[in-house]
Amino acid sequence: MTDRFSLAGRVALVTGASRGLGFAMAEALAEHGATVILNARDEASLAEAARKLKADHLAFDVADPKQCSAALARIASKHGKLDILVNNAGIQHRRPLTEWEDQDFDRVVAVNLSACFRLARDSARLMLPNKYGRIINTGSVAAILGRPTIHAYAAAKAGLHGLTRSMAAEIGRHGVTVNAIAPGYFATELNTALLEDKAFTAWVESRTPAGRWAKPHELGGAVVFLASEAASYVNGHVLAVDGGLSVSL
Ligand SMILES: NC(=O)c1ccc[n+]([C@@H]2O[C@H](COP(=O)([O-])OP(=O)(O)OC[C@H]3O[C@@H](n4cnc5c(N)ncnc54)[C@H](OP(=O)(O)O)[C@@H]3O)[C@@H](O)[C@H]2O)c1
């Protein structure tokens, strides 16, 4: 029987992949046979991450349109195609509402939403002629349920869930699917402040049906599924990987 989860022969770009969820998803895609290109800004930590996976890497800032188009042009010329885009790079900023500065809101939206739109559009230009593609956006449970202080993040991730659906509706008939993964609370550097807060950790453990923080590798199955032939009819879906958080009170 053919392995419908095999990614052999597929070329994948994972943004924000030098650590955390991006690294874990890149590792899972590579384990299933994909040729993976890791992205982040810091060249040294990115090269080290790529070395661990024996993967390729391209350092660029996803918020810079010129760097993004140069990176995709490089992928097209080196690999001849792009099959899988994982739009994962993301940042957080926490402040009480009245203390937010405009530039912080714009900075979070630029990385967490506008960059995803641009990379998805430019990737679709490479995918559509081949009639095959998988665009996977890292959304968040924070797009589904409200939390204080993370206003730009919540707005950007909700926008990303919407963008996932609009793109899916438009390009699905050309063999390109667009889906999102909405992680719950994962123990990564993004959440250092929360992980160090004992009261917050106790809240995560009591609030999440799984009773604990998630480990980054627990996102691997979801991204491999959405990237594979097995998910050929899954389009425009937001897959929560949150231990049941978003379906419980
Ligand atoms: N951890 C969670 O519980 C959780 C929950 C829901 C959703 N998410 C989402 O999952 C994604 C990954 O989160 P994480 O927890 O793994 O974060 P993380 O540990 O802070 O890692 C973020 C990654 O993104 C890169 N990055 C940041 N800004 C970038 C930019 N402008 N251009 C290119 N790369 C950039 C970072 O490397 P450089 O700094 O070197 O660029 C790093 O590789 C984010 O979209 C986040 O919103 C996380």
Side-chain angles (χ1 to χ4, degrees), residues 60-83:
F60 63 94
D61 184 344
V62 297
D64 181 331
K66 280 195 186 134
Q67 291 185 38
C68 289
S69 33
L72 286 182
R74 227 172 117 188
I75 292 170
S77 87
K78 181 165 178 190
H79 300 279
K81 62 174 184 168
L82 179 65
D83 300 302

Side-chain angles (χ1 to χ4, degrees), residues 33-202:
T35 297
V36 183
I37 302 137
L38 279 67
N39 149 267
R41 287 164 305 175
D42 181 66
E43 167 73 37
S45 54
L46 180 65
E48 176 58 18
R51 196 192 52 76
K52 280 188 203 145
L53 298 188
K54 297 189 177 66
D56 216 344
H57 72 280
L58 271 177
F60 63 94
D61 184 344
V62 297
D64 181 331
K66 280 195 186 134
Q67 291 185 38
C68 289
S69 33
L72 286 182
R74 227 172 117 188
I75 292 170
S77 87
K78 181 165 178 190
H79 300 279
K81 62 174 184 168
L82 179 65
D83 300 302
I84 300 160
L85 167 69
V86 183
N87 255 330
N88 169 76
I91 54 173
Q92 182 57 288
H93 185 76
R94 297 183 177 90
R95 285 285 179 284
L97 178 61
T98 54
E99 293 171 21
W100 268 77
E101 302 285 351
D102 290 357
Q103 62 266 30
D104 289 323
F105 191 92
D106 293 346
R107 185 172 53 83
V108 173
V109 171
V111 175
N112 294 10
L113 178 59
S114 309
C116 298
F117 160 71
R118 211 178 296 114
L119 280 167
R121 179 199 60 196
D122 294 355
S123 298
R125 287 175 179 154
L126 297 175
M127 292 169 177
L128 290 170
N130 296 335
K131 301 218 169 300
Y132 186 90
R134 297 283 190 264
I135 297 173
I136 300 162
N137 298 316
T138 306
S140 176
V141 290
I144 303 167
L145 301 167
R147 280 287 301 165
T149 77
I150 57 167
H151 309 295
Y153 185 88
K157 293 294 188 184
L160 189 55
H161 289 194
L163 177 65
T164 299
R165 290 186 278 265
S166 65
M167 294 192 296
E170 183 172 323
I171 60 178
R173 65 184 56 244
H174 304 293
V176 180
T177 65
V178 189
N179 291 287
I181 296 174
Y185 284 100
F186 279 72
T188 68
E189 213 170 297
L190 188 85
N191 287 330
T192 304
L194 303 181
L195 282 156
E196 284 167 355
D197 180 340
K198 284 200 176 121
F200 190 88
T201 286

